[in-house]
Amino acid sequence: MADERETGLVLDPKYDASGLVTAVATHADSGEVLMVAHMNADALAATLATGEATFWSRSRARLWKKGETSGHVLKVRELRVDCDQDAIWMRVDPMGPACHTGEPSCFYRVVRDGRLERV
Amino acid sequence: MADERETGLVLDPKYDASGLVTAVATHADSGEVLMVAHMNADALAATLATGEATFWSRSRARLWKKGETSGHVLKVRELRVDCDQDAIWMRVDPMGPACHTGEPSCFYRVVRDGRLERV
């Protein structure tokens, strides 16, 4: 039912073989991409229920609310799905740095002439 | 070498078991997320060489320059990597609708009260 998934108004995520969709968080004001991670059905449900971005940690194999220890949660202002419903876009208000390195965004390096430069 | 990958200035993408990284394209001016897809090493190299976003099509199992038939290419203004180098963020100037449905962005539906609404 690809057509219904693309044109319909039913939330019906297309999880991959591991039960995951890709989730992108951008700063609701600046539009900066803060982080990219994954959600399973439970993570998406928790995100929608709490309004705070929750992911599936593949390395730890458990639900992971962003900021659960640091307090740097991502408050979800808006959540969208893409055409084939295998990706989520959240516009968020971050309560602190989104990256575990302390950077505001995980995308703190740009590629120029094949090398990385800090932005 | 997680530390070097996170803090260093060498482009060293961490491809998954399928040889892919996630690639997010946002509108360089508005910050709107246009699409999420995947790149292998050849797609990333082609993107960097041509300045036009090129992906790996998992469904067709081949390199796929966005807009190769429609002309709706994504001109890459800036390309970033995230902390662990398993995701790419491109700020692009789209030469037409990014979505194959004709919508400017693939993310044309928002989740509200468990249902989808067109934005």
Side-chain angles (χ1 to χ4, degrees), chain A residues 61-91:
Chain A
R62 68 169 179 83
L63 279 186
W64 159 53
K65 186 177 90 168
K66 171 69 189 162
E68 61 190 7
T69 53
S70 67
H72 302 156
V73 302
L74 303 175
K75 303 268 190 190
V76 179
R77 203 189 289 188
E78 185 182 83
L79 190 147
R80 299 191 188 189
V81 292
D82 75 343
C83 45
D84 55 1
Q85 299 207 36
D86 67 355
I88 301 285
W89 169 25
M90 294 176 288
R91 295 178 55 236

Short mmCIF file of all heavy atoms in Angstrom, two decimals, chain A residues 61-91:
data_model
loop_
_atom_site.label_atom_id
_atom_site.label_comp_id
_atom_site.label_asym_id
_atom_site.label_seq_id
_atom_site.Cartn_x
_atom_site.Cartn_y
_atom_site.Cartn_z
N ALA A 61 21.19 -1.12 22.79
CA ALA A 61 20.00 -1.96 22.60
C ALA A 61 18.93 -1.68 23.65
O ALA A 61 18.40 -2.58 24.32
CB ALA A 61 20.36 -3.45 22.59
N ARG A 62 18.61 -0.38 23.78
CA ARG A 62 17.53 -0.02 24.70
C ARG A 62 16.98 1.36 24.33
O ARG A 62 17.63 2.12 23.60
CB ARG A 62 18.02 -0.01 26.14
CG ARG A 62 19.02 1.08 26.49
CD ARG A 62 19.21 1.16 28.01
NE ARG A 62 20.18 2.17 28.42
CZ ARG A 62 19.91 3.48 28.57
NH1 ARG A 62 18.71 3.95 28.29
NH2 ARG A 62 20.85 4.32 28.96
N LEU A 63 15.79 1.65 24.82
CA LEU A 63 15.23 2.99 24.63
C LEU A 63 16.15 4.00 25.29
O LEU A 63 16.70 3.75 26.36
CB LEU A 63 13.83 3.10 25.23
CG LEU A 63 12.66 2.55 24.44
CD1 LEU A 63 11.36 2.89 25.17
CD2 LEU A 63 12.62 3.11 23.03
N TRP A 64 16.24 5.16 24.66
CA TRP A 64 17.18 6.17 25.13
C TRP A 64 16.53 7.53 24.93
O TRP A 64 16.41 7.99 23.82
CB TRP A 64 18.49 6.05 24.33
CG TRP A 64 19.36 7.24 24.31
CD1 TRP A 64 19.83 7.95 25.37
CD2 TRP A 64 19.90 7.90 23.14
NE1 TRP A 64 20.61 8.99 24.93
CE2 TRP A 64 20.67 8.97 23.58
CE3 TRP A 64 19.79 7.66 21.76
CZ2 TRP A 64 21.34 9.83 22.70
CZ3 TRP A 64 20.46 8.51 20.89
CH2 TRP A 64 21.22 9.58 21.35
N LYS A 65 16.10 8.12 26.04
CA LYS A 65 15.60 9.49 25.94
C LYS A 65 16.80 10.41 25.91
O LYS A 65 17.62 10.41 26.84
CB LYS A 65 14.70 9.86 27.13
CG LYS A 65 14.08 11.24 26.94
CD LYS A 65 13.11 11.62 28.04
CE LYS A 65 13.85 12.32 29.16
NZ LYS A 65 12.93 12.95 30.12
N LYS A 66 16.91 11.16 24.81
CA LYS A 66 18.02 12.11 24.69
C LYS A 66 18.00 13.04 25.90
O LYS A 66 16.96 13.65 26.20
CB LYS A 66 17.84 12.90 23.40
CG LYS A 66 18.78 14.07 23.25
CD LYS A 66 20.19 13.62 23.04
CE LYS A 66 21.15 14.81 23.11
NZ LYS A 66 22.52 14.36 23.34
N GLY A 67 19.14 13.12 26.61
CA GLY A 67 19.23 13.99 27.78
C GLY A 67 18.78 13.34 29.07
O GLY A 67 18.67 14.01 30.08
N GLU A 68 18.57 12.04 29.05
CA GLU A 68 18.06 11.37 30.26
C GLU A 68 19.04 11.49 31.42
O GLU A 68 18.62 11.52 32.57
CB GLU A 68 17.74 9.90 29.97
CG GLU A 68 18.92 9.08 29.54
CD GLU A 68 18.54 7.69 29.03
OE1 GLU A 68 17.33 7.40 28.89
OE2 GLU A 68 19.46 6.90 28.76
N THR A 69 20.33 11.58 31.12
CA THR A 69 21.30 11.79 32.20
C THR A 69 21.79 13.24 32.22
O THR A 69 21.94 13.81 33.30
CB THR A 69 22.51 10.83 32.06
OG1 THR A 69 23.05 10.96 30.74
CG2 THR A 69 22.07 9.39 32.27
N SER A 70 22.02 13.82 31.06
CA SER A 70 22.57 15.18 31.00
C SER A 70 21.53 16.26 31.26
O SER A 70 21.87 17.39 31.61
CB SER A 70 23.20 15.44 29.62
OG SER A 70 22.19 15.45 28.62
N GLY A 71 20.27 15.93 31.08
CA GLY A 71 19.23 16.95 31.16
C GLY A 71 19.04 17.70 29.86
O GLY A 71 18.12 18.53 29.75
N HIS A 72 19.88 17.41 28.88
CA HIS A 72 19.80 18.13 27.60
C HIS A 72 18.77 17.47 26.69
O HIS A 72 19.10 16.94 25.63
CB HIS A 72 21.17 18.16 26.93
CG HIS A 72 22.23 18.80 27.77
ND1 HIS A 72 23.57 18.54 27.62
CD2 HIS A 72 22.14 19.69 28.79
CE1 HIS A 72 24.26 19.24 28.51
NE2 HIS A 72 23.42 19.94 29.24
N VAL A 73 17.53 17.53 27.14
CA VAL A 73 16.46 16.92 26.36
C VAL A 73 16.13 17.79 25.15
O VAL A 73 16.48 18.97 25.10
CB VAL A 73 15.19 16.69 27.22
CG1 VAL A 73 15.52 15.81 28.42
CG2 VAL A 73 14.59 18.00 27.66
N LEU A 74 15.47 17.18 24.20
CA LEU A 74 14.99 17.88 23.01
C LEU A 74 13.47 17.94 23.09
O LEU A 74 12.79 16.92 22.97
CB LEU A 74 15.42 17.14 21.74
CG LEU A 74 16.92 16.89 21.55
CD1 LEU A 74 17.17 16.05 20.30
CD2 LEU A 74 17.69 18.21 21.46
N LYS A 75 12.95 19.13 23.31
CA LYS A 75 11.49 19.32 23.37
C LYS A 75 10.96 19.40 21.94
O LYS A 75 11.40 20.26 21.16
CB LYS A 75 11.16 20.61 24.11
CG LYS A 75 11.73 20.67 25.53
CD LYS A 75 10.74 20.15 26.53
CE LYS A 75 11.22 20.46 27.95
NZ LYS A 75 10.39 19.76 28.96
N VAL A 76 10.04 18.54 21.62
CA VAL A 76 9.57 18.43 20.25
C VAL A 76 8.45 19.43 19.99
O VAL A 76 7.38 19.36 20.59
CB VAL A 76 9.07 17.00 19.95
CG1 VAL A 76 8.56 16.90 18.52
CG2 VAL A 76 10.20 16.00 20.19
N ARG A 77 8.72 20.34 19.08
CA ARG A 77 7.71 21.34 18.73
C ARG A 77 6.81 20.82 17.61
O ARG A 77 5.62 21.15 17.55
CB ARG A 77 8.40 22.63 18.30
CG ARG A 77 7.51 23.85 18.45
CD ARG A 77 8.11 25.09 17.82
NE ARG A 77 9.27 25.62 18.55
CZ ARG A 77 9.82 26.79 18.25
NH1 ARG A 77 9.33 27.53 17.24
NH2 ARG A 77 10.87 27.23 18.92
N GLU A 78 7.41 20.04 16.72
CA GLU A 78 6.66 19.50 15.58
C GLU A 78 7.33 18.22 15.12
O GLU A 78 8.56 18.13 15.16
CB GLU A 78 6.66 20.53 14.44
CG GLU A 78 5.81 20.15 13.24
CD GLU A 78 5.92 21.20 12.15
OE1 GLU A 78 6.89 21.16 11.36
OE2 GLU A 78 5.05 22.07 12.08
N LEU A 79 6.54 17.25 14.71
CA LEU A 79 7.10 15.98 14.22
C LEU A 79 6.45 15.66 12.88
O LEU A 79 5.22 15.65 12.75
CB LEU A 79 6.85 14.87 15.25
CG LEU A 79 7.55 13.52 15.02
CD1 LEU A 79 7.91 12.87 16.35
CD2 LEU A 79 6.70 12.58 14.19
N ARG A 80 7.29 15.40 11.89
CA ARG A 80 6.81 15.10 10.54
C ARG A 80 7.31 13.73 10.08
O ARG A 80 8.29 13.22 10.61
CB ARG A 80 7.31 16.15 9.55
CG ARG A 80 6.83 17.56 9.84
CD ARG A 80 7.15 18.47 8.67
NE ARG A 80 6.90 19.88 8.95
CZ ARG A 80 6.93 20.84 8.03
NH1 ARG A 80 7.23 20.54 6.77
NH2 ARG A 80 6.69 22.09 8.34
N VAL A 81 6.64 13.18 9.10
CA VAL A 81 7.12 11.95 8.45
C VAL A 81 7.35 12.25 6.97
O VAL A 81 6.74 13.17 6.42
CB VAL A 81 6.12 10.78 8.57
CG1 VAL A 81 5.99 10.31 10.00
CG2 VAL A 81 4.77 11.15 7.97
N ASP A 82 8.22 11.47 6.36
CA ASP A 82 8.47 11.69 4.94
C ASP A 82 7.52 10.86 4.08
O ASP A 82 6.66 10.13 4.59
CB ASP A 82 9.95 11.48 4.59
CG ASP A 82 10.34 10.02 4.54
OD1 ASP A 82 9.59 9.18 5.08
OD2 ASP A 82 11.40 9.72 3.98
N CYS A 83 7.67 10.99 2.77
CA CYS A 83 6.71 10.42 1.83
C CYS A 83 6.49 8.93 2.05
O CYS A 83 5.35 8.48 2.08
CB CYS A 83 7.14 10.71 0.40
SG CYS A 83 8.89 10.41 0.06
N ASP A 84 7.56 8.17 2.20
CA ASP A 84 7.38 6.72 2.36
C ASP A 84 7.39 6.29 3.83
O ASP A 84 7.43 5.08 4.12
CB ASP A 84 8.37 5.92 1.51
CG ASP A 84 9.81 6.32 1.79
OD1 ASP A 84 10.03 7.20 2.65
OD2 ASP A 84 10.71 5.75 1.17
N GLN A 85 7.37 7.25 4.71
CA GLN A 85 7.23 7.01 6.16
C GLN A 85 8.33 6.11 6.72
O GLN A 85 8.09 5.32 7.63
CB GLN A 85 5.84 6.44 6.49
CG GLN A 85 4.71 7.38 6.11
CD GLN A 85 3.46 7.21 6.95
OE1 GLN A 85 3.51 6.94 8.15
NE2 GLN A 85 2.29 7.37 6.34
N ASP A 86 9.55 6.28 6.19
CA ASP A 86 10.67 5.60 6.81
C ASP A 86 11.67 6.57 7.43
O ASP A 86 12.79 6.18 7.79
CB ASP A 86 11.37 4.63 5.84
CG ASP A 86 12.07 5.36 4.70
OD1 ASP A 86 11.93 6.60 4.59
OD2 ASP A 86 12.73 4.68 3.89
N ALA A 87 11.25 7.83 7.53
CA ALA A 87 12.09 8.83 8.18
C ALA A 87 11.19 9.82 8.92
O ALA A 87 10.07 10.12 8.47
CB ALA A 87 12.97 9.56 7.18
N ILE A 88 11.72 10.30 10.05
CA ILE A 88 11.02 11.25 10.92
C ILE A 88 11.84 12.52 10.98
O ILE A 88 13.07 12.47 11.06
CB ILE A 88 10.93 10.67 12.36
CG1 ILE A 88 10.19 9.33 12.38
CG2 ILE A 88 10.35 11.68 13.34
CD1 ILE A 88 8.71 9.44 12.22
N TRP A 89 11.16 13.66 10.92
CA TRP A 89 11.83 14.94 11.14
C TRP A 89 11.16 15.62 12.32
O TRP A 89 9.96 15.86 12.30
CB TRP A 89 11.73 15.83 9.90
CG TRP A 89 12.15 17.25 10.09
CD1 TRP A 89 13.02 17.75 11.03
CD2 TRP A 89 11.72 18.39 9.32
NE1 TRP A 89 13.16 19.12 10.89
CE2 TRP A 89 12.37 19.52 9.85
CE3 TRP A 89 10.86 18.55 8.24
CZ2 TRP A 89 12.17 20.81 9.33
CZ3 TRP A 89 10.66 19.83 7.73
CH2 TRP A 89 11.31 20.94 8.26
N MET A 90 11.97 15.93 13.33
CA MET A 90 11.48 16.66 14.50
C MET A 90 12.08 18.05 14.53
O MET A 90 13.30 18.20 14.45
CB MET A 90 11.88 15.94 15.79
CG MET A 90 11.22 14.60 15.97
SD MET A 90 11.86 13.80 17.47
CE MET A 90 13.51 13.36 16.91
N ARG A 91 11.23 19.06 14.68
CA ARG A 91 11.71 20.42 14.96
C ARG A 91 11.66 20.57 16.48
O ARG A 91 10.60 20.42 17.10
CB ARG A 91 10.85 21.46 14.26
CG ARG A 91 10.96 21.35 12.73
CD ARG A 91 10.07 22.36 12.01
NE ARG A 91 10.35 23.71 12.46
CZ ARG A 91 9.43 24.55 12.97
NH1 ARG A 91 8.17 24.17 13.07
NH2 ARG A 91 9.78 25.74 13.36
#
